[in-house]
Amino acid sequence: MKKPGRNEPCPCGSGRKYKKCCLHAPKPGVGGTFIYTDLDDLSNQIPELIKLEKYDEAEEVCRKLRQEYPEQIDGLHRSAELFEAMGNYDKAAAFYNRTAEFAEQADGFEQKSVEYFRNMAVQLADLGKQ
């Protein structure tokens, strides 16, 4: 079975996007136990920090993700989400563009994901002009 793209419906049937549902769910390890990575732990902190409007803390976690895991998309994508939530649309658009560039160059991302990131960048850049 093909792994779904981050922005496709989650195969668990929740109705949410894969990235907002099971993408970061713990993976079964030896003996059926679940293993979270440090990357997962960091990345999964950000939506809750945004929800609590702890933007400075969320920005620090995003910065840490980008520094410690530059080979992963999480730091760029979470930064885009953070600046969007903060209403800093120009910065969010810039991070969505960087996220799209990353997805274009990395393995495992479908064209639909790249298009989603590009569309978000355009929409937020337009909002930034208003």
Side-chain angles (χ1 to χ4, degrees):
M1 184 166 130
K2 183 182 136 210
K3 181 180 172 185
R6 292 173 62 91
N7 292 298
E8 292 178 11
C10 190
C12 78
S14 68
R16 297 186 312 177
K17 290 182 180 182
Y18 180 57
K19 71 178 180 185
K20 299 281 186 178
C21 195
C22 292
L23 174 65
H24 295 290
K27 308 297 186 258
V30 176
T33 59
F34 287 95
I35 301 169
Y36 275 107
T37 66
D38 291 338
L39 169 66
D40 293 327
D41 289 338
L42 285 173
S43 187
N44 290 336
Q45 288 177 32
I46 296 168
E48 185 65 21
L49 291 170
I50 291 171
K51 182 179 174 184
L52 297 172
E53 297 182 5
K54 294 183 176 183
Y55 300 132
D56 290 340
E57 289 178 51
E59 189 169 1
E60 185 58 36
V61 175
C62 286
R63 190 175 298 114
K64 190 173 181 177
L65 275 171
R66 292 191 313 269
Q67 289 173 349
E68 293 183 14
Y69 300 97
E71 73 287 355
Q72 300 295 327
I73 199 168
D74 295 60
L76 298 172
H77 189 203
R78 294 294 195 191
S79 295
E81 293 174 331
L82 170 62
F83 289 112
E84 180 182 2
M86 292 171 60
N88 188 335
Y89 300 124
D90 291 333
K91 206 163 188 176
F95 271 107
Y96 272 116
N97 273 323
R98 288 176 60 191
T99 305
E101 290 167 8
F102 183 100
E104 282 177 322
Q105 296 171 6
D107 290 335
F109 292 94
E110 294 186 2
Q111 186 60 33
K112 288 181 355 183
S113 296
V114 174
E115 290 170 8
Y116 169 80
F117 296 136
R118 291 273 183 231
N119 288 336
M120 289 300 298
V122 169
Q123 289 174 23
L124 292 169
D126 288 345
L127 281 174
K129 294 176 186 175
Q130 296 179 1

